[in-house]
Amino acid sequence: MIERTRLQLAAGLLAAASFLSSCKSESADKPAPQAAATKPAEPAPKGEPAPEKAPKAPEAEAPKAPEAEAPKAPEAEAPKAPEAEAPKAPEAEAPKPPEAEAPKPPEAEIAKAPEAEAPKAPEAEIAKAPEAEAPKAPEGAAPVAEAAAPEAPAVPTASAGPAYFAVDKRGIVRMDETGFKVIPGSPDNLLKGMQLGPDGALYVIGFETVYRLEGEKMKAVAKGGYKSLGSSPDQLAIAPNGHIWVGTFKGVALWDGNEWQKEDKTTLPGFDGMMEAFVVDKAGRPWLGASKSLLVKDGAAWRAVDLSKSKARMLWVKDVQLSPEGVVHVLFGDALFALGDGDTFTKVKVNARDYPQLSKVRFASNGDIGIVDYEHVHHVTGGKTKSYSADKGEDFNADRITAAVPDASGRLWVGSAVGVTVFGPGDAKTDWPSGSVPELIGSVVDIVVAGAGPAKLAEGGPIAKGGLTGKLLKDGEAMAGVEVELCTNPSSYFKKTPCHDAPVKFAVTTDAGGVWTVNDMPLGNYGIAVKDTDGWRVTLMNDLGDGMKEGKVYDTGSLKLDSK
């Protein structure tokens, strides 16, 4: 009995030893997990006399290992960008158990061992991989930066507005969805230009007077002229406070609502040449462009801007305008520049011709740009330029282009002595040649378009035609059998004849009495060129057609030429 008991006890001890041996064997095969449990498990060898607890130890560790590791894995991974830990996982791989057991820097490894409990942690990392990419979202936040561009769309929402035309001998013509109408009270002679003031009202500069559109009528708001200014006003600028500035041959003047405050050009530092343009910025500072100089009035004193900083090839100021943001822009004969703090010049990409002859620039309320370039116009939208040529009627007919004005709906309004052409949106094109719209018959001096312009363009009618006749005299004698040309602006510089390149031209020969007659001509303005024994002579007038009427021949009277 005793012997059996001993045998049973020995067998129990052998079983316990075998169990402990198997546990140690497993721990050798799985150093990483054991490493995680080494601290609680190290006392186990000392507790060999208590084998009864051995079976319970695995049961207790089994649940605790996952429960303890699971929460720690995410917590450890979240801040430490698992990507950095991933490379260390292979170092902790069990194939090199000696390294795991080795030096007791394992404690350094021990801290990482839970991370090395990699078989399961990676799975957690995989699940969180998308979260790991979350930090990269800010890099992809570029779309958010682009979203800052919504300021650009803000302008396209510009509301529809009328278009205004300054037509010599006709007056100021308003066009909206209802059609064309001459504004009552508007000046009709020697019109200089127009602009929308900061208050949104239309201002017009005539021969001597500045007008403002109030309701449906033009009202004189400041009268100048030789008596009060020493010269007629030529350039107009409206300050944010409503004060009116004008440029004259003599200098500049400010109308404060009661009287003119004049400054002679001889007192302006650096003033050089003829006055070309005048604007007042949002800070109330007037800017004056005069041939080879640009001046600004800071406070009470004028100062000259160093144009050489622009590095432009042609330092000849042609125009000065404000962008919708209030940035001053200077147009030279070959380039457009934005003026920044410290008189810094930034070139605006226009992509004009190789040898441009830029003369006028205008901005739409959405930032689009229109530029006149001799027989060409350029429309800059969204940083891209689309150009149109009137050379030999390539894209449109024009004679002496006077305006290229963009609106906020993607259109460009072009005016000249032979009518108006509207390009856009897209490839759309609308023509109102002289004679097709009674209100536009004559030379279009300037154009202003409010906001997005009319939602719908009015239609022109058939071209109204009439005739002209007249008589030529030289030293009192009739000029018989001489060549005569008529066009809107006969040129003094030509290769063949004065009207050869004009889009609308007529050629006749005088009869024995020196009389010339042309029938079937579009109603409009015409000048005359005469070829006698001394060559071609060009008159400086282009108002022969002022009295034309549809279906009738208008007699212009006698033109007297003297011998040279």
Side-chain angles (χ1 to χ4, degrees), residues 177 212 236 247 254 270 317 381 422 466 479 519 537:
E177 290 78 2
R212 182 177 185 271
L236 172 66
L254 168 65
V317 177
T381 57
V422 182
M479 298 178 67
N519 294 301
R537 293 196 185 188

Side-chain angles (χ1 to χ4, degrees), residues 243-258:
H243 286 179
I244 298 170
W245 285 86
V246 295
T248 72
F249 177 76
K250 293 285 189 177
V252 297
L254 168 65
W255 177 260
D256 61 9
N258 297 305

Side-chain angles (χ1 to χ4, degrees), residues 539-561:
T539 65
L540 297 179
M541 59 184 182
N542 68 342
D543 57 359
L544 289 181
D546 285 354
M548 292 183 72
K549 292 184 179 180
E550 186 174 9
K552 296 183 178 181
V553 176
Y554 175 66
D555 189 349
T556 63
S558 297
L559 177 62
K560 299 177 181 179
L561 302 176

Side-chain angles (χ1 to χ4, degrees), residues 425-496:
D427 295 327
K429 177 185 173 185
T430 301
D431 278 311
W432 295 308
S434 184
S436 64
V437 177
E439 295 81 359
L440 296 183
I441 294 175
S443 181
V444 177
V445 177
D446 200 2
I447 299 175
V448 166
V449 185
K456 181 181 178 182
L457 299 185
E459 297 182 1
I463 296 177
K465 297 181 179 181
L468 290 174
T469 187
K471 186 174 184 178
L472 298 179
L473 300 174
K474 182 176 181 181
D475 297 329
E477 298 293 329
M479 298 178 67
V482 300
E483 295 180 45
V484 175
E485 283 192 339
L486 291 97
C487 57
T488 52
N489 288 291
S491 176
S492 299
Y493 303 95
F494 53 86
K495 293 181 179 179
K496 295 183 179 180

